[in-house]
Amino acid sequence: MAGLVLARVCGVPFVLMHPAPCFRMPNMSMSRLSALSGFQTLFIGPGQCMFPPPVVLPPCTSVQSVSPPAESTTSTSIYRVIGPKVSFCSKCGGPTEHCIPDGEERLRAICKSCGIVHYQNPKMVVGCVVAHEDKVLLCRRSIEPSYGLWTLPAGYLELGESAAEGAVRETWEEAIAAVDIEAPFALLDIPRIGLSYILFRAKLRTLDFSPGIESLDCALFHIDDIPFDQVAFSSVTVALQLYVEDYKAGRFKVHHGVLDKRMGSSPSDPSGYTFRDHISN
Amino acid sequence: MAGLVLARVCGVPFVLMHPAPCFRMPNMSMSRLSALSGFQTLFIGPGQCMFPPPVVLPPCTSVQSVSPPAESTTSTSIYRVIGPKVSFCSKCGGPTEHCIPDGEERLRAICKSCGIVHYQNPKMVVGCVVAHEDKVLLCRRSIEPSYGLWTLPAGYLELGESAAEGAVRETWEEAIAAVDIEAPFALLDIPRIGLSYILFRAKLRTLDFSPGIESLDCALFHIDDIPFDQVAFSSVTVALQLYVEDYKAGRFKVHHGVLDKRMGSSPSDPSGYTFRDHISN
C-alpha cells in the first residue's frame, strides 16, 4: 500500500498519495512516483479548488482508505487522476462510481448497476523509421495536432493486428509507401497522456511514395538535414535523435525511455518534455 | 479500401472481408489478413448460422459498403469481429450502434445520442525475465487462468506508468522481488485476444523474493530445467525459449513476433498457437 486515500473534493474523485518513496518500489524517484500517481496529475494545495461546487454523490462502498505513514511530512499533497472519464457502463448503460476496489490500489470506474469494473489502460502508437540509404522518410501532417509539421508514419494499433502489421499499415496510409520491417527500434512511453510509441526500423521496397490523406507531403531527409525545428511530436524528435546517433555509431540498438511532458506544453514544443530512464540493448 | 462490407447476420454485425491480398498491404499473407480481419474472427461459410434468429436493428447511417474486387473468388467469406462489446456510451449512457465511420475501414461503436466514437485498442502486458546467474525467476499462479502453472511476473500496464515501471511493479507484486531493468527483451503480440506482451530483462537486486498474493510459489530455475510442460501462457513459453536461445548464444537480442492462438485452445496449451513473423535486432 502506498498511502493511498480516496477523497471527493468538489464532487470530483481524488487520490491522495503519500509522495514519499513507496515501499513496494523502494528505488522509485519522486518523478517516477509522480508519474505513477496518475494520468495527467494535478497538484492541488490545501484550500485550493479548481472545480465546480461540491456535488453529493452516493457513498462508494468498496473504497480503501489507507492512512499515510506517520513519518510523512507532505501527506496533504493531492493528485487528481484524470484518465478518460467513464461515467456510464458500456455493457448495461448504468452510472458508474469511481472507487478503489478491494485488493487493488488504483481508482477504477465501477458500474453501480451491474458491478463491472471498467479498467482503463495506455494505448499503443505504432510506426516506422523508414530508411533509404542515409535518409529517413518523414510525412508533413495535414491534420491537427501539429498541422504542417513533420512526423514519422505512425498511428494507433488496432485490434486484430500485430505491432509490426500496424506499423506497415500506418506507413502505407500516411506515405503510400510499401516497406519491409527490419527490427524493433524503440519503445517510448508518455505516461502523462497514456501513450506508448512502438517504432520499428523499416526499409522502402521501392522509391514510390506519396502523401496519404493525413499528409501534405512526404520526403526523404538526409540524417544530417532532419528538420528538428519542425517536428510534430516530442516522441518523434527523440526517436529521430536516437536513430541518428545509432546510424553514426554504426550499430542500431533497441531503445526504451520515458517522455515526461510538461503540463500545458504543445505536442511539438522542443522544451515541453524531458526524456528519462533511457535504456537500450 | 480492402473490400470491406458491413453486414448484419442474425442481428450480429459482421465484416465481410475480401481475403485476397489487399492492395494497401501488398505483401500480406492470408494468415496476416485473417489476423487483420478482426479480433477473434470466426469463418462462417454461406448458409451457416451460429447465432440466434435475426433481430431488426435500426439502420446505421454511416456504414461504408465497398464491394470486393471483381476478381475475388471468395468474396462471401465472412469474419465476425468480436472486440469487447460497447453497447452503451461511457460518456452519456446512450445506446451505441456499430458502424464503419466515413473515412475509416473498421467497425466502431458510435453513440446514437452524442455521436462519440468509442475506439477499442489492444492492451499491453508488461513483465520481466528476471535473471540471477544462469537461472530465471518464475512464479506459480494462485489464480485462474492457469492456476498452479508457472509464469513470468507480468500484468497489465496501468495509466500513468511507463512499461519498465509497470514491469518492476508487477515483479514486486507477484514475486516480492526488487529488480533492476537491464534492457528491452521482447514484444510478443497476440492479435486474437488484443494483447501485446512487453518484456524486459532484469536482474535481482538481492536473493530476497517470496510469493505475492497472485502466486503460490516463486523459484529460480536453471535455464536447462525450466518446466516447459507446466508454463501458464504460450507467450511465456515463447519468451523463455527465446531467452534460453540468446543465453546459450552469448548475446541477448530484442525480439518481436506474433502468436496466433488457435480458437478454443487453453492459454497454456503447448499446441494451441503458432509463432510467426519473428524478427530481432
Side-chain angles (χ1 to χ4, degrees):
Chain A
M1 302 295 166
L4 280 167
V5 177
L6 182 71
R8 290 187 190 275
V9 179
C10 304
V12 179
F14 280 78
V15 169
L16 180 63
M17 178 168 266
H18 169 49
C22 143
F23 88 84
R24 303 199 70 157
M25 296 179 70
N27 60 332
M28 189 179 295
S29 67
M30 277 302 291
S31 63
R32 285 193 181 191
L33 188 64
S34 172
L36 258 178
S37 69
F39 179 40
Q40 294 185 332
T41 55
L42 283 179
F43 178 86
I44 302 173
Q48 289 179 276
C49 182
M50 303 165 63
F51 301 99
V55 176
V56 177
L57 296 178
C60 191
T61 56
S62 56
V63 167
Q64 288 180 358
S65 180
V66 182
S67 298
E71 66 271 25
S72 169
T73 55
T74 51
S75 60
T76 54
S77 308
I78 294 175
Y79 296 85
R80 185 183 177 206
V81 178
I82 314 185
K85 193 169 182 186
V86 176
S87 301
F88 295 91
C89 175
S90 58
K91 185 180 178 194
C92 77
T96 63
E97 58 183 347
H98 289 74
C99 306
I100 300 178
D102 290 336
E104 295 200 30
E105 295 182 4
R106 287 167 192 271
L107 204 62
R108 312 285 187 194
I110 303 174
C111 178
K112 291 187 197 177
S113 300
C114 72
I116 279 187
V117 180
H118 293 277
Y119 292 95
Q120 293 174 275
N121 303 88
K123 297 194 177 201
M124 280 172 276
V125 171
V126 293
C128 291
V129 183
V130 181
H132 178 70
E133 298 168 354
D134 52 3
K135 303 178 186 71
V136 293
L137 181 67
L138 299 181
C139 304
R140 201 156 71 89
R141 286 172 63 81
S142 69
I143 54 174
E144 293 292 355
S146 298
Y147 178 96
L149 300 181
W150 293 93
T151 189
L152 293 168
Y156 286 105
L157 182 64
E158 296 279 1
L159 288 174
E161 65 186 2
S162 75
E165 288 162 349
V168 168
R169 174 182 53 75
E170 287 289 344
T171 305
W172 183 266
E173 290 178 359
E174 297 186 6
I176 322 288
V179 297
D180 290 314
I181 297 285
E182 296 206 303
F185 177 62
L187 167 62
L188 303 175
D189 295 327
I190 314 178
R192 185 178 288 280
I193 55 174
L195 286 187
S196 289
Y197 275 74
I198 296 176
L199 300 172
F200 296 87
R201 285 189 294 110
K203 286 267 189 233
L204 277 176
R205 289 194 163 182
T206 71
L207 281 177
D208 293 329
F209 58 83
S210 58
I213 198 164
E214 295 182 6
S215 305
L216 295 168
D217 195 6
C218 297
L220 287 168
F221 287 88
H222 187 278
I223 58 160
D224 288 330
D225 296 326
I226 292 171
F228 278 109
D229 58 340
Q230 298 172 58
V231 171
F233 304 111
S234 44
S235 51
V236 173
T237 297
V238 170
L240 288 169
Q241 286 168 340
L242 294 171
Y243 184 87
V244 171
E245 282 173 23
D246 283 5
Y247 185 92
K248 293 189 173 180
R251 188 195 152 211
F252 287 108
K253 302 176 191 169
V254 182
H255 303 269
H256 174 54
V258 184
L259 283 86
D260 283 330
K261 300 283 286 184
R262 187 165 50 75
M263 285 287 286
S265 62
S266 80
S268 60
D269 182 352
S271 62
Y273 69 97
T274 54
F275 184 52
R276 64 172 166 89
D277 296 342
H278 177 208
I279 56 172
S280 60
N281 76 324
Chain B
M1 302 298 166
L4 279 167
V5 177
L6 181 71
R8 291 188 189 276
V9 179
C10 304
V12 179
F14 280 77
V15 170
L16 179 64
M17 178 168 268
H18 170 49
C22 144
F23 87 84
R24 303 198 69 158
M25 296 179 71
N27 61 331
M28 189 179 295
S29 67
M30 278 299 293
S31 63
R32 284 193 181 190
L33 189 64
S34 173
L36 259 178
S37 71
F39 179 42
Q40 294 184 332
T41 56
L42 283 179
F43 179 87
I44 301 173
Q48 288 178 279
C49 182
M50 302 165 65
F51 300 97
V55 176
V56 177
L57 295 179
C60 191
T61 55
S62 55
V63 167
Q64 287 180 359
S65 180
V66 181
S67 297
E71 67 271 25
S72 167
T73 56
T74 52
S75 60
T76 55
S77 309
I78 294 174
Y79 296 85
R80 186 182 177 208
V81 179
I82 314 185
K85 194 169 181 188
V86 176
S87 300
F88 295 90
C89 175
S90 58
K91 184 179 178 196
C92 77
T96 64
E97 59 184 345
H98 288 74
C99 307
I100 301 178
D102 290 336
E104 295 201 29
E105 294 182 4
R106 288 167 191 270
L107 204 62
R108 311 285 187 194
I110 303 173
C111 178
K112 290 187 198 178
S113 301
C114 73
I116 278 187
V117 181
H118 294 277
Y119 292 94
Q120 292 175 276
N121 303 88
K123 297 193 177 202
M124 281 171 275
V125 171
V126 293
C128 291
V129 184
V130 181
H132 178 72
E133 297 168 353
D134 51 3
K135 303 179 186 72
V136 293
L137 181 67
L138 299 181
C139 304
R140 201 155 72 88
R141 285 172 64 82
S142 69
I143 54 174
E144 293 292 356
S146 299
Y147 178 97
L149 300 181
W150 293 93
T151 190
L152 293 168
Y156 286 105
L157 182 63
E158 296 278 2
L159 287 174
E161 66 185 2
S162 75
E165 288 162 349
V168 168
R169 173 182 55 73
E170 288 289 342
T171 304
W172 182 266
E173 289 179 0
E174 298 185 7
I176 320 289
V179 297
D180 289 314
I181 297 285
E182 296 208 301
F185 178 62
L187 167 62
L188 303 175
D189 294 327
I190 315 178
R192 185 177 289 280
I193 56 174
L195 286 186
S196 290
Y197 276 74
I198 294 175
L199 299 172
F200 295 88
R201 287 190 292 110
K203 286 267 187 232
L204 276 177
R205 288 193 165 182
T206 71
L207 281 177
D208 294 330
F209 58 83
S210 59
I213 196 163
E214 294 182 8
S215 306
L216 295 168
D217 196 6
C218 297
L220 287 168
F221 288 88
H222 188 277
I223 58 159
D224 288 331
D225 297 325
I226 291 170
F228 277 109
D229 58 339
Q230 298 172 58
V231 171
F233 303 111
S234 44
S235 50
V236 173
T237 298
V238 170
L240 288 169
Q241 286 168 341
L242 294 171
Y243 184 87
V244 171
E245 282 173 23
D246 282 5
Y247 184 93
K248 292 188 173 179
R251 188 195 153 210
F252 288 108
K253 302 175 192 169
V254 182
H255 304 269
H256 173 55
V258 183
L259 283 86
D260 282 330
K261 300 283 287 184
R262 187 166 50 75
M263 285 288 286
S265 62
S266 80
S268 60
D269 182 351
S271 64
Y273 70 97
T274 54
F275 184 52
R276 66 173 164 90
D277 296 343
H278 177 207
I279 55 172
S280 59
N281 76 326

